[in-house]
Structure formats: structure tokens, C-alpha cells
Amino acid sequence: MVSEYRASPLLARVRTQRCQPSDESSLDAGARPANYCEVGGNPSVGKVQAFTHLLLEQLRPRSLAVVMNVVSNTRADLVARGVIAACLEAGREPASTISVFRVPGAWEAECEEILAHYGIAALDRSVGIDDAARRAVGALAA
Amino acid sequence: MSILIDGSSRVVVQGITGREAAGFTRECLDYGTRVVAGVTPGKGGAEVYGVPVFDAVADAVEATGADVALLSVPPTLALDAMLEAIEAGMPLLVVITERIPQRDVATALEAARRAGARVVGPNSLGVITPGAAKIGSIGGPAADVARAYQPGTIGIASRSGGMTTELASLLTHAGIGQSTCVRVGGDPLIGTTLLDAYRLF
């Protein structure tokens, strides 16, 4: 699940595919990815919550950038529920922990609703993966 | 030019009563795909979203004239399910199941080759001919599919399900539609490689 990470995490984020465009995107944006997660297709809320909790507990990142490509099989709303549940479990305020959330695709309307409830603005597909990575890095500098 | 599936494709879903299969069966029906039958041994006579369930692929083919097998069964049962579809004379098998033992995949692919059946996958997300039909969970629910996939002239073949949809979404938002998009599957052994898919277009 969490395969490796560096000592000083700059960016922790989750994604679903083995090819790693958001890794490259975060490098291009001037940050080192703190870890890599292979979520697998169609993860449950519990699975997303468990590994996000691990990230938060083990890496203690300042923020989470949740950046995935447009999803089909994976449900965006379940990813949102899992990440938020993990933040709450770790005693962290979701809105200040999640700097970027870009998971467009299946069930995105429900996903936006859940995030809005916690004061988080979801990025839609008009924001590319590169741009999402730049925003995540920008949020670290702010 | 579209490949593999179009609006006249008649789909049988093997493993239709499973959680994932039932979910994408509904998505496919909503998108307009002609899902005409399902197969789950022992559950013949049941219905999933109005789709009749049969005990065997041969029964489903006889009753409905299905010509595309969409497989979403547990990995250890995939070999039997693939052989059953091939023996029933299905010309096209799209295999969604991931983590099928590689030896089983090799056996099934060889049987398909001998029978002249085409296999897409395993570990495929499905195939979509925008505006006509989609099979598998590619694109997600019908409303979300329409935001990423629009009919047109560009074909997409990819090993990655996520990037298939991401690419289609980028094209659609640039005003460029797609003919057919195929997620060939990410496994080492697959029935239709990227090169095979390009040749089909």
C-alpha cells in the first residue's frame, strides 16, 4: 500500500494507477512526492481511510494533495469520504489538511457535495493534473 | 471508425450478480448498451436490473443471441468462465477481472486463439464507442461518461483505465470526439495488445 517515503515529506498524496503522472507533475512543480500509493480500482471508504490515516500518522505531512486522473471505476465520493474520515480520525481539520482535491469522474457531483460540507472546494477536470500539482506546491509555500 | 462494439452489440455479463458487475451492468444499460443476458451458475431465473440471468453462457446465447461476453468473475473462476464463453462460440470476450493466475490466462488465451475468439483484457476496464455503447465500468455512471467521452474520429487504446478516461476527457474538452476507446489491460499477458488495438482501427 504505502511503498516508500522520504524522510522529509513535502507532498503526500494518493492516486490509483501504476503509471505515475502526478509524481512527474509534482516534480515538475518543484516538489518531491513524499510517497506513492497504489490504491487499486474501486477502493472502499475503509481502504482509503486506512491508508490515509497511515500517511497522516507516519509521515505527519503538513497537507494532503489528493490528485487522481479522471476516474471510472473508482468512485470519487468514496475517496472523499475516506480521506475526510481519516483526517477526523487523526484529529485534523479536513479543510486545513487537504490542500488540493482533484478527483474528477465517476460520482463527482456527490464528491463535490461531501467536500463542500467540510469547506473544501473540489477541483474539476478543467484543472489539469500539472496545474493541480502546482497548486499543491503553492499551498505549501503559503 | 469504431471497433469491437457498436450499438448493435448484444452483451452477456458473466458474473452479473456480483457487486461490481451488477453496478456496471446498470451503468451500461443507462448508457444504452444492449445488455441482453447475465450468467451466474446456480442463479438462473433471477434478474439484475431487468436483465435475465442464466446458469450457462450457452443457454444465454441460445435465448438472447448475445455476441459479446463481458466477464467479471472471481479470479480463480476466470479460466472456467473464459473457456465456457469460448466454447459457446462468443467472438469477443472482454475480461474485467484482475489478479487471474497467469497460467490460467495463458491457457485461456491459447484456447481463444484456436477458436478464433478475440479477448480484450484481463484487467481491462472495458470498451466504449461513445454515443453508441459502453461495456464495463469505463467512464463510470452514464452522466459522468458523457462528460468525458463524445462521439468522433479519434481512437484511444491504453493500458491504464484512468488515463483512458483522462485522455478522452482532455480530447472532449478540446472539442475532439472519439471513435472507440479500449482499455487493453495492464497485465503482462493480455489478449489484445496496444499494437493489436491500433491495427483494428
Side-chain angles (χ1 to χ4, degrees), chain A residues 2-24:
Chain A
V2 181
S3 54
E4 58 180 280
Y5 56 88
R6 294 170 190 271
S8 56
L10 284 171
L11 188 65
R13 75 284 171 279
V14 296
R15 44 169 291 97
T16 60
Q17 296 296 331
R18 288 182 184 83
C19 61
Q20 302 171 28
S22 62
D23 285 338
E24 288 170 19

Side-chain angles (χ1 to χ4, degrees), chain B residues 19-37:
Chain B
R19 179 179 65 96
E20 277 207 33
F24 67 63
T25 294
R26 173 152 203 192
E27 294 172 9
C28 292
L29 289 167
D30 287 347
Y31 196 67
T33 309
R34 298 167 74 174
V35 182
V36 296

Side-chain angles (χ1 to χ4, degrees), chain B residues 11-143:
Chain B
V11 181
V12 54
V13 179
Q14 289 177 255
I16 193 168
T17 52
R19 179 179 65 96
E20 277 207 33
F24 67 63
T25 294
R26 173 152 203 192
E27 294 172 9
C28 292
L29 289 167
D30 287 347
Y31 196 67
T33 309
R34 298 167 74 174
V35 182
V36 296
V39 171
T40 299
K43 294 191 179 169
E47 277 193 2
V48 174
Y49 299 117
V51 176
V53 179
F54 298 85
D55 286 319
V57 177
D59 297 343
V61 172
E62 193 185 332
T64 65
D67 57 9
V68 179
L70 180 59
L71 287 83
S72 178
V73 300
T76 50
L77 305 178
L79 174 59
D80 276 354
M82 290 175 74
L83 293 178
E84 188 186 340
I86 293 163
E87 279 162 20
M90 304 299 296
L92 174 62
L93 283 68
V94 178
V95 185
I96 305 296
T97 306
E98 58 179 328
R99 292 189 283 273
I100 303 175
Q102 291 296 285
R103 186 191 169 97
D104 289 358
V105 177
T107 305
L109 291 183
E110 176 58 15
R113 191 187 65 79
R114 287 176 188 235
R118 172 170 295 283
V119 176
V120 174
N123 193 8
S124 170
L125 191 66
V127 181
I128 180 169
T129 295
K134 79 150 191 156
I135 57 176
S137 52
I138 192 163

